[in-house]
Amino acid sequence: MHYDKIIVLDLGSQTNQLISRRIRDLGVYSELYPHTIKAADIKALTHIKGIILSGGPGSIYDKNALNIDPEIFKLSVPILGICYGMQLLAHHLGGTIEKTPKREYGGAFIEKVHDSPLLKGLDKQEQVWMSHGDHVTSLKEAYTITAKSPACEIAAFENLNNTLFGVQFHPEVQHTLKGETLLKNFVFDICKAKANWTMDNYLDNQIKTIQTATNGKNVILGLSGGVDSSVTAVLIDRAIKERLTCIFVDHGLLRENEAKSVMETFAKHLDLNVRKIDAKTTFLKALKGVKDPEKKRKIIGKTFIDVFEKAAKTIDNVAYLAQGTLYTDTIESGTATAATIKSHHNVGGLPKKMKLDLIEPLNKLFKDEVRKLGKALDMPKDMIQRQPFPGPGLAIRIIGTVDETKLALVRQSDHILHEVFEAYNLQKSVWQYFTVLTPIKTVGVMGDKRTYEHVLVIRAVTSLDGMTAEWAKIPHDVLDTLSRRIVNEISGINRVVYDITSKPPSTIEWE
Ligand code: XMP
C-alpha cells in the first residue's frame, strides 16, 4: 500500500512542522525535507503529489539566502510557496522582491482580486496571518495576481499552466481563518492527492517492514510504560512475536504501583516477552547525596545504560535496538541550535555503545498519531492516553537529594492528586499534573502541636505538546480538597502550594 505524499521543503520557518501536521490532518501523508534535497531524490521518493516551500526568516538577497535545486521546477508537480517560499518561487520565475517599508506581523486582511482554484471558497476579504519583512513587487507576465493586502500588492499569485502558486500569508496557522480550505484546495483539487494516510495502512506497512528488516534476528527494547515505548513494543511484538525482548528497568523512581501495573499489562494481558530488572538499590546508591539537577539527570541516564546493557548481554542473537523516537524528536534534534535547558533522559547513548542497529518505527509520527496507532493495535485506552512521565522519574520531582523517605512523600502525594483529579473529572482537560517535594521546611500547627515539615508543590498544566504550557486554572475547591487530604494523610508535609507559572518562562518539571 502506498501513500500519496505532499512534501514540505524546510526553509527555516518556525511553523514548517505545522504545515505537515495540517496536511496529515487532511488524511494525506506529508513530510519535511531539507531545502537542499535534489530534484532527483524527490523523484525517487515516489507518489509525490505536491511540493510546498515553507516560510523562513531569511531574505532572498541575503548573502547566504536559502535556496532550492532549480531542477525541482521541472518535476511537473504542483508547487505552493508560503511566505519566504513564495518569494523564492517569484525570484526563480524572474520576479522582484523588495523590503517592505514596515514589517508586517500578525493578523491582516487580504482581498481576492482574481478567481483562483487555490482560493476557492474564500471570501472577497479574508483574515490571514502575515509575518514578513520582504514582499514580491513584480512578476513576469505569465503570472496572475490573485490577492492583495494593504501592505503587499501581491499577496497571492499563480501560474495555472505550470501549477505554481505563492501566498505571502501562512495558511497553516489557525489565525488564517480559511487556511484549511486553502490547503484542501491545494492538496485535493490541485495536487489530486488521495486521503489514504490512515493508521491501519501504516500498521500493515510497518509490520511488513519490521519483519523484512529484522530478518530472523532478535530485537531488544527498553520499555518504560510510557506511550511511545509501549506502542513501539506492541507493534514490534505484532510483527516478530518472541523475537522481541522488552527490558523494563525498575529504577525505583516510579509512581505508586507503576512497576506492578506495567508488568501486569504487558506480560500478563498483552502477552509480551518482558524482563523486569529490579535496580532500585543501584540507582539510589548512585544518586546518594547528589543535589544538582543536571548531575542527577546524567547519573540516572548513565546508570540506566549500564543496567540495560548488562541485561541485554544475557539475550542471544540480538542485532537491533528498538526505540520509540517520534518525528518531532528527529526534526528537532536535526535543527538543534538551541541551548540545552535540561539533558533529557532517553536511551540515545545505547546504540553507539552496544553496536546495535536501530529500529524506530514511530520516527515519522506525531504524538497524536502514535496514540491512533495504539488504537489501531487495540491497546487499552488508559495506556495510550497516559500523561507524559519523565525518564528520570520522581528523582526530578524531589528538589535536592533523593532518598526513600522523600520518594515515599512524592509517591503518596502524587497518588492523592490523581485520585482527586479523577474524582473531579479533571484528568482529561489537564495535560499533565504531579507533585514536587521541596527541601524547604516550614512551621505548622496540628492538633495543638508545632510541626516543622516539608512544603509540597502541586503542578498542573495544559499544553498541546509540552513545548509550551499554561498553568491550569483549577477550581479552588479542588485545590482545597487536595491541600486538606495531603496534609492530613501524609505525615512529613504540612504546607501545600500551587505553581502558577507557565512555560516559558518556567519549565514543566521543576528540575
Ligand atoms: P520540561 O520540564 O522540559 O518538560 O518543560 C517538558 C515535557 O517533557 C517531560 N520531560 C521528560 N521526558 N525524559 C523524558 O522522556 C526526560 O528527561 C524529561 N524531562 C522532562 C516533562 O514531564 C514534560 O512533559
Side-chain angles (χ1 to χ4, degrees), residues 297 342 344-345 388 390-392 396 431-432 466 503 507-509:
R297 281 176 169 273
K342 297 176 184 182
H344 270 216
H345 158 68
I396 56 163
W431 192 75
Q432 192 175 13
K503 172 185 178 176
T507 53
I508 298 178
E509 304 285 347

